[in-house]
Amino acid sequence: MNQILPKMPASFIGQFKSYLNCGQLNQARNLFDKIPNPNIYSSTLLISAYTKQNRPLDSIQLYQNLRKEKKLQPDNLLLLSITKACALLSDPIKAKEIHKDVIGFGFKSDLPLGNALIEMYGKCGLISEAQQLFDELPVKDVITWTSLILSYKNCKQFREGLGVFREMLISGPKLNSVTLLSVLAISSKLKSLKFGREIHCFVIRNGFEDNMFIGSGLVDIYSKCLITHDARIVFDGMRSKDVVSWNVILSAYSLNGDLDEALRLFDKMKVDGVLLNSASWNSMISGCVQNGRIERALQFFAQMQDSGTKPNHITIASILPACTGMESIRGGREIHGYVYRNAFIKDIIIDTGLVLMYAKCGDLNTSRLVFDQMPRKDIIAWNTMIVANSMHGCGKETLTLFDKMIESGIRPDAVTFSGVLSGCSHSQLVDKARQSFSSMEREYGLNPDADHYASMVDVLSRAGYLNEAYEFIQNMPVEPTPSAWGALLNGCKVYKNTELGKIAGEVLLDIEPQNPGNYLSLLNIFVGAKMYDDASRIRMLMNDRGIRKEPGCSWVQIKNKVYTFVKGDDRFAMRNEVYGFLKETRRKMRVEGYMPDTDIVLQDVDGEEKEEVLCSHSEKLAVAFAILNLDRGEVIRVFKNLRICGDCHGVISFMAKSIGVCITVRDSVRFHHFKDGSCSCKNLW
DNA sequence: CTAGGGTTAG
């Protein structure tokens, strides 16, 4: 039906084909563009070459240009290429256009094309369209069924995918290895060991054992179910392995927390001459990050680039949490710049990672900027932004974000409410918190869990409603967690309620005896109330149980270097200047009538010594050091491993005002933004 | 066709 249009010169065709054979598509394209009337044959060749080389955009653009100029009367082969290109692109709008084209050209009953269209819809996330196409196909083969199963997998409807498989066993064609693998992959996503074992038996009984893909799939499902031992047995028994098989076993050990074995296997890969791909590096990077070996992850990231493997969007998403965990805003900014420069496709997971990274590094403004520019926001993106605002004490904004999220049609989940409630608690929005808490069940059908109840205790305690908080704990339908009692205890410390503090503290020493913070809070309450007998009882208990206070430690990044200060630190750069500066600050404060908050000091020492101990707190040292070293106008960002102490809070607040700088301190609970003599936490640290 | 990625405490 497609008459050959004005013939191309034979020399052109020869040259054109040889370019295509060598994969030199740009040269082939130059030649192609010179032909006034390209025929269907050469167009199909070029378009399918684009698709095969993973250049779907070029493929589709060329197709659409030719369609517009009406130079093209497509045939099955061409439409197949375009359909596959669109599957690669995962563009649902283009998918529908192409489907319409196919129908328009009357190729409805072509089976390979029908199968490709199902796959395309699946890859584009349009599962009901895929199912409808499946239903309409008059003839179905094993690929049709498998494509539908894979579509369900792609759309994360795993149970439904298994349903299709069951139907296929009853009324469909005989399955092949691809079908088996697709079901295996789904079971793996569901972490279903039961299905995994069943499929494993089926594989052995029906002679699929030597299929490398199936082997890797089996290793993966045992890995995901944390049966690392069985994963290794299958892996070792595989007759042939490719890089994916190795990548799967690497992640098996990382997942199981055995990073050292993963590292050993990674070295063995290199010895055995397995050609590493980006997923191999990504697997090691994320394995290190998830096992807390952040420095090692960054090393792998550097080695990967040295080895000539280009980081992809998954690499970026894996390395970002490393910067977040180190609070390295410089590292994070570098990654952000890398994403920008290399024009990565817009990726929702990378964007979410950036939002969290900026927030956790103390820069909520940039975090928000990235969020606002996201083209699509899913539940995790919204939750991340809500949690970010809550960490920074912007409770009102968490509520506004919550409303906007609802407006945009996204249903909140348990994490959303955790974020909103902790936002309310940091900003003392008691009524808002109550409304939000009760709407969880009433409006959104979510059962509050123990964490939500603990959050409500925190809301009440932080606002000073201590008796109500205690009542709430006693009446809640779930077992109060240590965090619920911890919230109450902290409230008692802030509001100096010795009686309730004693109750909460004693419970905590019982149910969470290994946490030094509990002892210290209770100790502070007793010392503050001059109940020295009780205080020494707690101290003895700590001794008996071998509970040691974690040393306070703060750090600050200046230029490219991180400076760390430990409490009582005496051997750091500019020691004399720093202590001199702190002493001078203290003198100025006294002139203006501030008294040092010596309640917090635990040692039984007299007044002057107490002040000295206070002066040596790591957060004061870090802030003072930063003030002496930073350029004017720069924001000071200090991080501390424990909670900021009350005296430090007052002194840092004073320094921010008297020097006229913004100081941010991130402690173990939240961010404190000091400006003009006040703090974003409203003095409820 | 199989691998590698993001949110929740006090």
Side-chain angles (χ1 to χ4, degrees), chain A residues 41 69 96 101 215 238 279 421 450 474 494 511 664:
Chain A
Y41 174 65
E69 296 164 21
K96 286 190 175 170
D101 270 12
M238 284 173 72
L421 289 176
Q474 288 173 303
V494 172
I511 62 175
T664 296

Side-chain angles (χ1 to χ4, degrees), chain A residues 375-522:
Chain A
R376 194 174 73 80
K377 303 174 178 79
D378 64 4
I379 176 83
I380 301 186
W382 282 102
N383 287 349
T384 304
M385 196 69 250
I386 286 173
V387 167
N389 275 278
S390 143
M391 285 190 304
H392 282 270
C394 307
K396 270 197 175 147
E397 191 54 30
T398 64
L399 292 165
T400 311
L401 282 163
F402 180 86
D403 291 340
K404 283 188 183 162
M405 170 179 159
I406 301 293
E407 221 173 277
S408 79
I410 291 192
R411 279 176 66 86
D413 65 6
V415 179
T416 318
F417 282 97
S418 283
V420 169
L421 289 176
S422 91
C424 288
S425 102
H426 287 308
S427 302
Q428 285 149 288
L429 301 166
V430 182
D431 290 334
K432 294 286 181 195
R434 284 199 178 109
Q435 286 164 18
S436 173
F437 184 79
S438 66
S439 78
M440 256 185 97
E441 211 163 351
R442 212 184 46 239
E443 284 178 50
Y444 303 101
L446 293 164
N447 278 329
D449 62 27
D451 285 338
H452 297 112
Y453 282 100
S455 280
M456 275 311 289
V457 176
D458 191 43
V459 167
L460 298 169
S461 305
R462 240 178 244 267
Y465 303 145
L466 298 173
N467 290 321
E468 197 184 329
Y470 183 45
E471 238 173 76
F472 189 85
I473 284 192
Q474 288 173 303
N475 293 324
M476 59 204 229
V478 296
E479 185 71 24
T481 56
S483 64
W485 288 108
L488 178 60
L489 179 63
N490 188 55
C492 294
K493 193 172 85 183
V494 172
Y495 292 100
K496 303 196 192 309
N497 184 327
T498 316
E499 196 188 327
L500 269 180
K502 196 172 169 178
I503 294 173
E506 301 286 348
V507 173
L508 270 172
L509 297 196
D510 197 34
I511 62 175
E512 201 187 36
Q514 75 292 353
N515 184 344
N518 297 335
Y519 297 84
L520 297 172
S521 295
L522 194 51

Side-chain angles (χ1 to χ4, degrees), chain A residues 170-188:
Chain A
I170 297 165
S171 61
K174 200 164 172 269
L175 57 82
N176 64 16
S177 63
V178 182
T179 322
L180 210 46
L181 188 59
S182 65
V183 186
L184 197 51
I186 289 180
S187 311
S188 181

Side-chain angles (χ1 to χ4, degrees), chain A residues 111-112 114-123 127 130-131 134 137 141-154 164 168 176 178-179 182:
Chain A
L111 189 53
N115 291 343
L117 286 167
I118 293 177
E119 192 188 327
M120 173 187 76
Y121 273 135
K123 288 253 166 77
I127 189 59
Q131 177 72 58
F134 177 89
L137 279 185
D141 63 3
V142 59
I143 301 178
T144 320
W145 284 87
T146 308
S147 299
L148 186 63
I149 295 174
L150 283 168
S151 296
Y152 274 106
K153 179 200 148 213
N154 216 293
V164 175
M168 180 181 175
N176 64 16
V178 182
T179 322
S182 65

Side-chain angles (χ1 to χ4, degrees), chain A residues 176-241:
Chain A
N176 64 16
S177 63
V178 182
T179 322
L180 210 46
L181 188 59
S182 65
V183 186
L184 197 51
I186 289 180
S187 311
S188 181
K189 296 278 180 213
L190 289 169
K191 299 195 206 326
S192 166
L193 186 59
K194 188 173 150 280
F195 287 133
R197 295 231 189 261
E198 271 174 36
I199 296 167
H200 196 171
C201 290
F202 187 91
V203 164
I204 293 170
R205 276 203 307 272
N206 293 274
F208 286 104
E209 256 181 309
D210 282 338
N211 183 303
M212 186 174 67
F213 285 62
I214 300 266
S216 301
L218 284 169
V219 175
D220 183 58
I221 195 167
Y222 285 124
S223 151
K224 295 284 152 59
C225 298
L226 297 179
I227 317 288
T228 316
H229 177 72
D230 291 11
R232 184 57 176 267
I233 290 174
V234 177
F235 178 78
D236 286 340
M238 284 173 72
R239 249 183 257 257
S240 50
K241 305 178 179 94

